[in-house]
Amino acid sequence: MALMAKWIAGVDIGGTTLSVGMVPAAGGRPRALRTGDTPEGRGGEEVVARVCGMIRAAVDELARAEGPDAAVAGVGVAAPGSLDRARGIVLESHNLGWFGLPLRDRVEAATDLPAVVENDANCAAYGEWWQGAGRGFRSVLGITLGTGVGGGVVMDGRPFAGATGTAGEIGHMTVEFGGRRCTCGGRGCLEAYASGPGIARTAVEGLAGGTRSTLPNLVAGDLGRITAATVHEAAVGGDAYATGVLARAARMLAAGITSAVNLLAPDAVVVMGGVAAAGDLFFGPLAAELGRPRFRSALDACTVVPGALPGTAGVVGAAGVFRLRTGPARG
Amino acid sequence: MALMAKWIAGVDIGGTTLSVGMVPAAGGRPRALRTGDTPEGRGGEEVVARVCGMIRAAVDELARAEGPDAAVAGVGVAAPGSLDRARGIVLESHNLGWFGLPLRDRVEAATDLPAVVENDANCAAYGEWWQGAGRGFRSVLGITLGTGVGGGVVMDGRPFAGATGTAGEIGHMTVEFGGRRCTCGGRGCLEAYASGPGIARTAVEGLAGGTRSTLPNLVAGDLGRITAATVHEAAVGGDAYATGVLARAARMLAAGITSAVNLLAPDAVVVMGGVAAAGDLFFGPLAAELGRPRFRSALDACTVVPGALPGTAGVVGAAGVFRLRTGPARG
């Protein structure tokens, strides 16, 4: 008889997308990976129902591929917002409209599996530390560039929440005093410049000045349709203006990384998410800005790298956090 | 026979001032406190000789007051720069010109007492956590406003150095992208605005524009002699311009505190040092800026207070770190 394989279901609940995959407890790529739209639903019931359906389908798919001995140890859930980790409750998620949702208990009841809940940005950082670009480092700051700028911290192999539970919020660090208004109500937050919408805003504001660029053609003249993806597309096509817009976002991110690294002194920063996919168009100016003269002790001791698990860092990390909290599963 | 009291010598080595005091191992105010100028000396030998003389004098003074049973457990030394903590070596201190100074061994040899060495900003933060304004909090970010802007972190009752040993450098966080040149070579660092020299610079730059203020009279027309203390003096005297200069520094500090609190999520921030002595003229605008609309989760869960150990936080904290590393001394 073969040794029984142990698997963990990893779940990443995002504002627009749900992702579920079966992750080997010993580490490795997720199997039976599936994604779905996040439904709008009162109190999170529709979201939880859909997620649990996806978990059951993934478990079934795994069993068909691996045989009935493909034992599943439990479920790790990456959720946005502030959490009561010990009780697995989402205290406050404005994106999803959840306030006091007992997510862990709901998932456990619907799947008959033990579950743990952790912040989504911390899960992404943990996933990269456990199985991705952060392997072998003591401490990782993970930054996810998307609709917002999320941050998570892994310290000595554990997600770091700080004394008050919300550590790692690099998106709302001030990088330009009195600068651009952020969705949080503040001014000059990193998120206002380096998120997808921030990049689009930089592009549109510059175009209003009459700059030459292919961007207007790409959106049939409707500048409101410009997104970070449009800017990337134009830059890849050789548009100097769009290339400069990406470089500006990268330089603002460099300022945020500088601040964060001076404070936390991690040995690695992993940059994840959509904007990060722009490759050298983004990481070139980022590296150049980080290399400029400035206080260097912490920066020189730290490695800044792109994520290695595009689209799955949260799923892998949520499974890893389950393993961490419940002890390594045994075969 | 009376119970034997246990004491620890606390030493704070600054760029201009040396401070030594005898701290009760159970906590309390330093006794036999003394300060002296920091001598310039090759390889740190003159500094170490003077510090060790001060330690012996403090031990003698304590013995005269408390009797020969006033047992001294050892010496805690707060030193600037980057350290090898395990071996007690100052790797690199540009202020003092020390590179690879085996400070612990030198102090042990000259005093015949065991010694430990910790970063000065971490000692100040630890002192406030152990015996000052940070008592009872889980995690404290200590900020010292002086010639520079220093930062130290205490996490779960221990100094926090990060993975690479230099955590807490809030002074070189970027608060204004592309802003004022800092002594580190970077731009827009918090230290360029909220340090003593930064405040003086803000004052002088504004005066050059012909603003009405009593400041020129206070320095007999020599604007180069304006310091943060002059600005404070003018503000206390009702000078609206000087009051605004202090408020501007406080607002920049608020931006740095916001960034640091979002990242670290401490439950307390303790603001120490000369500028902090400006009281409401400084803490009023600081609190107002921190209270403005912005991402609030971490800020609302955190208390920002002035330090309670002016001039002695480093001495107390260095003694506390000795106690922490060697185990509580027993009577």
Side-chain angles (χ1 to χ4, degrees), chain A residues 76-107:
Chain A
V77 185
S82 60
L83 306 174
D84 177 335
R85 287 169 175 81
R87 298 191 294 155
I89 294 172
V90 179
L91 299 172
E92 189 175 342
S93 169
H94 291 272
N95 274 355
L96 293 165
W98 294 358
F99 300 92
L101 179 76
L103 182 58
R104 183 193 65 193
D105 290 354
R106 297 276 178 88
V107 171

mmCIF file of all heavy atoms in Angstrom, chain A residues 76-107:
data_model
loop_
_atom_site.group_PDB
_atom_site.id
_atom_site.type_symbol
_atom_site.label_atom_id
_atom_site.label_comp_id
_atom_site.label_asym_id
_atom_site.label_seq_id
_atom_site.Cartn_x
_atom_site.Cartn_y
_atom_site.Cartn_z
ATOM 1 N N GLY A 76 -7.295 26.161 4.640
ATOM 2 C CA GLY A 76 -6.754 27.468 5.017
ATOM 3 C C GLY A 76 -7.437 28.532 4.177
ATOM 4 O O GLY A 76 -7.535 28.390 2.958
ATOM 5 N N VAL A 77 -7.949 29.567 4.834
ATOM 6 C CA VAL A 77 -8.710 30.590 4.118
ATOM 7 C C VAL A 77 -8.006 31.939 4.231
ATOM 8 O O VAL A 77 -7.748 32.422 5.340
ATOM 9 C CB VAL A 77 -10.139 30.724 4.674
ATOM 10 C CG1 VAL A 77 -10.951 31.715 3.840
ATOM 11 C CG2 VAL A 77 -10.835 29.368 4.731
ATOM 12 N N ALA A 78 -7.701 32.551 3.081
ATOM 13 C CA ALA A 78 -7.172 33.915 3.034
ATOM 14 C C ALA A 78 -8.350 34.864 2.846
ATOM 15 O O ALA A 78 -9.081 34.762 1.874
ATOM 16 C CB ALA A 78 -6.193 34.059 1.871
ATOM 17 N N ALA A 79 -8.530 35.776 3.803
ATOM 18 C CA ALA A 79 -9.677 36.684 3.751
ATOM 19 C C ALA A 79 -9.215 38.128 3.917
ATOM 20 O O ALA A 79 -8.260 38.392 4.644
ATOM 21 C CB ALA A 79 -10.680 36.330 4.851
ATOM 22 N N PRO A 80 -9.901 39.058 3.246
ATOM 23 C CA PRO A 80 -9.512 40.456 3.388
ATOM 24 C C PRO A 80 -10.080 41.048 4.668
ATOM 25 O O PRO A 80 -11.001 40.489 5.264
ATOM 26 C CB PRO A 80 -10.158 41.115 2.166
ATOM 27 C CG PRO A 80 -11.359 40.285 1.878
ATOM 28 C CD PRO A 80 -11.053 38.889 2.346
ATOM 29 N N GLY A 81 -9.519 42.181 5.087
ATOM 30 C CA GLY A 81 -10.071 42.896 6.228
ATOM 31 C C GLY A 81 -9.419 42.534 7.542
ATOM 32 O O GLY A 81 -8.448 41.780 7.597
ATOM 33 N N SER A 82 -9.984 43.076 8.622
ATOM 34 C CA SER A 82 -9.436 42.800 9.951
ATOM 35 C C SER A 82 -10.100 41.559 10.518
ATOM 36 O O SER A 82 -11.261 41.284 10.270
ATOM 37 C CB SER A 82 -9.660 44.005 10.875
ATOM 38 O OG SER A 82 -11.032 44.286 10.997
ATOM 39 N N LEU A 83 -9.297 40.796 11.271
ATOM 40 C CA LEU A 83 -9.724 39.463 11.696
ATOM 41 C C LEU A 83 -9.611 39.277 13.196
ATOM 42 O O LEU A 83 -8.771 39.888 13.845
ATOM 43 C CB LEU A 83 -8.817 38.400 11.049
ATOM 44 C CG LEU A 83 -8.656 38.417 9.544
ATOM 45 C CD1 LEU A 83 -7.613 37.387 9.135
ATOM 46 C CD2 LEU A 83 -9.993 38.120 8.874
ATOM 47 N N ASP A 84 -10.454 38.392 13.730
ATOM 48 C CA ASP A 84 -10.196 37.753 15.015
ATOM 49 C C ASP A 84 -9.664 36.367 14.670
ATOM 50 O O ASP A 84 -10.424 35.449 14.371
ATOM 51 C CB ASP A 84 -11.499 37.661 15.823
ATOM 52 C CG ASP A 84 -11.287 36.938 17.152
ATOM 53 O OD1 ASP A 84 -10.344 36.122 17.264
ATOM 54 O OD2 ASP A 84 -12.075 37.190 18.080
ATOM 55 N N ARG A 85 -8.309 36.246 14.671
ATOM 56 C CA ARG A 85 -7.694 35.007 14.192
ATOM 57 C C ARG A 85 -8.064 33.803 15.045
ATOM 58 O O ARG A 85 -8.286 32.708 14.540
ATOM 59 C CB ARG A 85 -6.175 35.166 14.163
ATOM 60 C CG ARG A 85 -5.708 36.060 13.036
ATOM 61 C CD ARG A 85 -4.249 36.411 13.185
ATOM 62 N NE ARG A 85 -3.795 37.174 12.037
ATOM 63 C CZ ARG A 85 -3.994 38.479 11.891
ATOM 64 N NH1 ARG A 85 -4.636 39.165 12.808
ATOM 65 N NH2 ARG A 85 -3.563 39.102 10.816
ATOM 66 N N ALA A 86 -8.095 33.994 16.377
ATOM 67 C CA ALA A 86 -8.324 32.855 17.266
ATOM 68 C C ALA A 86 -9.701 32.246 17.011
ATOM 69 O O ALA A 86 -9.876 31.030 17.108
ATOM 70 C CB ALA A 86 -8.195 33.290 18.725
ATOM 71 N N ARG A 87 -10.677 33.087 16.680
ATOM 72 C CA ARG A 87 -12.027 32.562 16.466
ATOM 73 C C ARG A 87 -12.403 32.483 14.990
ATOM 74 O O ARG A 87 -13.504 32.059 14.647
ATOM 75 C CB ARG A 87 -13.033 33.422 17.240
ATOM 76 C CG ARG A 87 -12.769 33.368 18.768
ATOM 77 C CD ARG A 87 -13.896 33.996 19.555
ATOM 78 N NE ARG A 87 -13.992 35.430 19.319
ATOM 79 C CZ ARG A 87 -15.102 36.156 19.467
ATOM 80 N NH1 ARG A 87 -16.227 35.573 19.837
ATOM 81 N NH2 ARG A 87 -15.099 37.456 19.242
ATOM 82 N N GLY A 88 -11.480 32.928 14.105
ATOM 83 C CA GLY A 88 -11.735 32.809 12.672
ATOM 84 C C GLY A 88 -12.860 33.699 12.178
ATOM 85 O O GLY A 88 -13.610 33.332 11.276
ATOM 86 N N ILE A 89 -12.966 34.891 12.779
ATOM 87 C CA ILE A 89 -14.051 35.812 12.420
ATOM 88 C C ILE A 89 -13.503 36.985 11.609
ATOM 89 O O ILE A 89 -12.471 37.559 11.962
ATOM 90 C CB ILE A 89 -14.742 36.334 13.700
ATOM 91 C CG1 ILE A 89 -15.450 35.175 14.420
ATOM 92 C CG2 ILE A 89 -15.733 37.453 13.383
ATOM 93 C CD1 ILE A 89 -15.990 35.552 15.781
ATOM 94 N N VAL A 90 -14.184 37.333 10.503
ATOM 95 C CA VAL A 90 -13.847 38.558 9.773
ATOM 96 C C VAL A 90 -14.575 39.706 10.470
ATOM 97 O O VAL A 90 -15.805 39.802 10.434
ATOM 98 C CB VAL A 90 -14.271 38.476 8.292
ATOM 99 C CG1 VAL A 90 -13.934 39.789 7.576
ATOM 100 C CG2 VAL A 90 -13.577 37.302 7.607
ATOM 101 N N LEU A 91 -13.808 40.570 11.148
ATOM 102 C CA LEU A 91 -14.415 41.643 11.931
ATOM 103 C C LEU A 91 -14.959 42.745 11.029
ATOM 104 O O LEU A 91 -16.034 43.285 11.263
ATOM 105 C CB LEU A 91 -13.381 42.233 12.897
ATOM 106 C CG LEU A 91 -12.807 41.265 13.931
ATOM 107 C CD1 LEU A 91 -11.668 41.922 14.693
ATOM 108 C CD2 LEU A 91 -13.895 40.792 14.889
ATOM 109 N N GLU A 92 -14.182 43.081 9.994
ATOM 110 C CA GLU A 92 -14.518 44.261 9.203
ATOM 111 C C GLU A 92 -13.847 44.166 7.841
ATOM 112 O O GLU A 92 -12.640 44.270 7.731
ATOM 113 C CB GLU A 92 -14.004 45.503 9.964
ATOM 114 C CG GLU A 92 -14.457 46.820 9.400
ATOM 115 C CD GLU A 92 -14.009 47.992 10.267
ATOM 116 O OE1 GLU A 92 -13.649 47.768 11.446
ATOM 117 O OE2 GLU A 92 -13.996 49.115 9.765
ATOM 118 N N SER A 93 -14.649 43.930 6.801
ATOM 119 C CA SER A 93 -14.129 43.972 5.438
ATOM 120 C C SER A 93 -15.044 44.856 4.609
ATOM 121 O O SER A 93 -16.159 44.464 4.251
ATOM 122 C CB SER A 93 -14.063 42.565 4.835
ATOM 123 O OG SER A 93 -13.809 42.671 3.445
ATOM 124 N N HIS A 94 -14.562 46.067 4.332
ATOM 125 C CA HIS A 94 -15.403 47.009 3.580
ATOM 126 C C HIS A 94 -15.594 46.555 2.141
ATOM 127 O O HIS A 94 -16.663 46.733 1.563
ATOM 128 C CB HIS A 94 -14.802 48.412 3.659
ATOM 129 C CG HIS A 94 -14.898 49.000 5.034
ATOM 130 N ND1 HIS A 94 -15.993 49.715 5.454
ATOM 131 C CD2 HIS A 94 -14.062 48.932 6.088
ATOM 132 C CE1 HIS A 94 -15.812 50.082 6.716
ATOM 133 N NE2 HIS A 94 -14.650 49.618 7.124
ATOM 134 N N ASN A 95 -14.548 45.933 1.555
ATOM 135 C CA ASN A 95 -14.659 45.426 0.185
ATOM 136 C C ASN A 95 -15.835 44.474 0.035
ATOM 137 O O ASN A 95 -16.586 44.533 -0.935
ATOM 138 C CB ASN A 95 -13.390 44.658 -0.205
ATOM 139 C CG ASN A 95 -12.323 45.587 -0.754
ATOM 140 O OD1 ASN A 95 -12.574 46.773 -0.918
ATOM 141 N ND2 ASN A 95 -11.157 45.045 -1.001
ATOM 142 N N LEU A 96 -15.978 43.557 0.989
ATOM 143 C CA LEU A 96 -16.996 42.510 0.874
ATOM 144 C C LEU A 96 -18.259 42.842 1.658
ATOM 145 O O LEU A 96 -19.257 42.126 1.545
ATOM 146 C CB LEU A 96 -16.414 41.177 1.363
ATOM 147 C CG LEU A 96 -15.300 40.597 0.484
ATOM 148 C CD1 LEU A 96 -14.546 39.504 1.209
ATOM 149 C CD2 LEU A 96 -15.885 40.067 -0.823
ATOM 150 N N GLY A 97 -18.205 43.896 2.451
ATOM 151 C CA GLY A 97 -19.368 44.232 3.269
ATOM 152 C C GLY A 97 -19.602 43.239 4.401
ATOM 153 O O GLY A 97 -20.736 42.988 4.799
ATOM 154 N N TRP A 98 -18.508 42.665 4.911
ATOM 155 C CA TRP A 98 -18.626 41.699 6.006
ATOM 156 C C TRP A 98 -18.266 42.371 7.316
ATOM 157 O O TRP A 98 -17.215 42.983 7.451
ATOM 158 C CB TRP A 98 -17.669 40.522 5.800
ATOM 159 C CG TRP A 98 -17.992 39.669 4.616
ATOM 160 C CD1 TRP A 98 -19.036 39.798 3.748
ATOM 161 C CD2 TRP A 98 -17.236 38.540 4.162
ATOM 162 N NE1 TRP A 98 -18.989 38.833 2.786
ATOM 163 C CE2 TRP A 98 -17.889 38.037 3.016
ATOM 164 C CE3 TRP A 98 -16.084 37.901 4.610
ATOM 165 C CZ2 TRP A 98 -17.412 36.927 2.317
ATOM 166 C CZ3 TRP A 98 -15.611 36.805 3.919
ATOM 167 C CH2 TRP A 98 -16.277 36.318 2.781
ATOM 168 N N PHE A 99 -19.098 42.189 8.304
ATOM 169 C CA PHE A 99 -18.829 42.740 9.629
ATOM 170 C C PHE A 99 -19.198 41.677 10.660
ATOM 171 O O PHE A 99 -20.381 41.399 10.879
ATOM 172 C CB PHE A 99 -19.624 44.032 9.852
ATOM 173 C CG PHE A 99 -19.266 45.097 8.834
ATOM 174 C CD1 PHE A 99 -19.990 45.221 7.654
ATOM 175 C CD2 PHE A 99 -18.175 45.930 9.048
ATOM 176 C CE1 PHE A 99 -19.632 46.169 6.703
ATOM 177 C CE2 PHE A 99 -17.817 46.891 8.107
ATOM 178 C CZ PHE A 99 -18.549 46.997 6.933
ATOM 179 N N GLY A 100 -18.174 41.045 11.238
ATOM 180 C CA GLY A 100 -18.431 40.015 12.241
ATOM 181 C C GLY A 100 -18.857 38.682 11.647
ATOM 182 O O GLY A 100 -19.623 37.949 12.274
ATOM 183 N N LEU A 101 -18.365 38.336 10.484
ATOM 184 C CA LEU A 101 -18.737 37.060 9.855
ATOM 185 C C LEU A 101 -17.897 35.911 10.442
ATOM 186 O O LEU A 101 -16.673 35.927 10.345
ATOM 187 C CB LEU A 101 -18.508 37.135 8.345
ATOM 188 C CG LEU A 101 -18.840 35.853 7.569
ATOM 189 C CD1 LEU A 101 -20.348 35.691 7.414
ATOM 190 C CD2 LEU A 101 -18.167 35.850 6.202
ATOM 191 N N PRO A 102 -18.536 34.885 11.020
ATOM 192 C CA PRO A 102 -17.783 33.737 11.579
ATOM 193 C C PRO A 102 -17.357 32.788 10.464
ATOM 194 O O PRO A 102 -17.866 31.680 10.335
ATOM 195 C CB PRO A 102 -18.795 33.088 12.525
ATOM 196 C CG PRO A 102 -20.134 33.440 11.956
ATOM 197 C CD PRO A 102 -19.985 34.763 11.236
ATOM 198 N N LEU A 103 -16.382 33.237 9.677
ATOM 199 C CA LEU A 103 -16.004 32.545 8.449
ATOM 200 C C LEU A 103 -15.497 31.127 8.712
ATOM 201 O O LEU A 103 -15.864 30.178 8.012
ATOM 202 C CB LEU A 103 -14.937 33.387 7.728
ATOM 203 C CG LEU A 103 -14.434 32.878 6.381
ATOM 204 C CD1 LEU A 103 -15.574 32.713 5.379
ATOM 205 C CD2 LEU A 103 -13.385 33.843 5.812
ATOM 206 N N ARG A 104 -14.647 30.969 9.730
ATOM 207 C CA ARG A 104 -14.088 29.639 9.996
ATOM 208 C C ARG A 104 -15.198 28.629 10.293
ATOM 209 O O ARG A 104 -15.246 27.546 9.705
ATOM 210 C CB ARG A 104 -13.122 29.697 11.176
ATOM 211 C CG ARG A 104 -12.466 28.349 11.451
ATOM 212 C CD ARG A 104 -11.760 28.328 12.787
ATOM 213 N NE ARG A 104 -12.707 28.471 13.892
ATOM 214 C CZ ARG A 104 -12.348 28.725 15.147
ATOM 215 N NH1 ARG A 104 -11.077 28.887 15.445
ATOM 216 N NH2 ARG A 104 -13.257 28.841 16.094
ATOM 217 N N ASP A 105 -16.099 29.008 11.186
ATOM 218 C CA ASP A 105 -17.169 28.078 11.563
ATOM 219 C C ASP A 105 -18.055 27.734 10.365
ATOM 220 O O ASP A 105 -18.474 26.581 10.198
ATOM 221 C CB ASP A 105 -18.017 28.676 12.691
ATOM 222 C CG ASP A 105 -17.240 28.741 14.010
ATOM 223 O OD1 ASP A 105 -16.105 28.220 14.052
ATOM 224 O OD2 ASP A 105 -17.766 29.320 14.973
ATOM 225 N N ARG A 106 -18.342 28.724 9.520
ATOM 226 C CA ARG A 106 -19.173 28.455 8.342
ATOM 227 C C ARG A 106 -18.499 27.458 7.404
ATOM 228 O O ARG A 106 -19.135 26.540 6.889
ATOM 229 C CB ARG A 106 -19.445 29.761 7.570
ATOM 230 C CG ARG A 106 -20.222 30.805 8.346
ATOM 231 C CD ARG A 106 -21.719 30.554 8.259
ATOM 232 N NE ARG A 106 -22.425 31.543 9.057
ATOM 233 C CZ ARG A 106 -22.810 32.745 8.591
ATOM 234 N NH1 ARG A 106 -22.587 33.070 7.336
ATOM 235 N NH2 ARG A 106 -23.443 33.594 9.375
ATOM 236 N N VAL A 107 -17.186 27.670 7.170
ATOM 237 C CA VAL A 107 -16.459 26.772 6.274
ATOM 238 C C VAL A 107 -16.379 25.370 6.886
ATOM 239 O O VAL A 107 -16.585 24.364 6.190
ATOM 240 C CB VAL A 107 -15.042 27.329 5.972
ATOM 241 C CG1 VAL A 107 -14.194 26.299 5.227
ATOM 242 C CG2 VAL A 107 -15.147 28.623 5.164
#
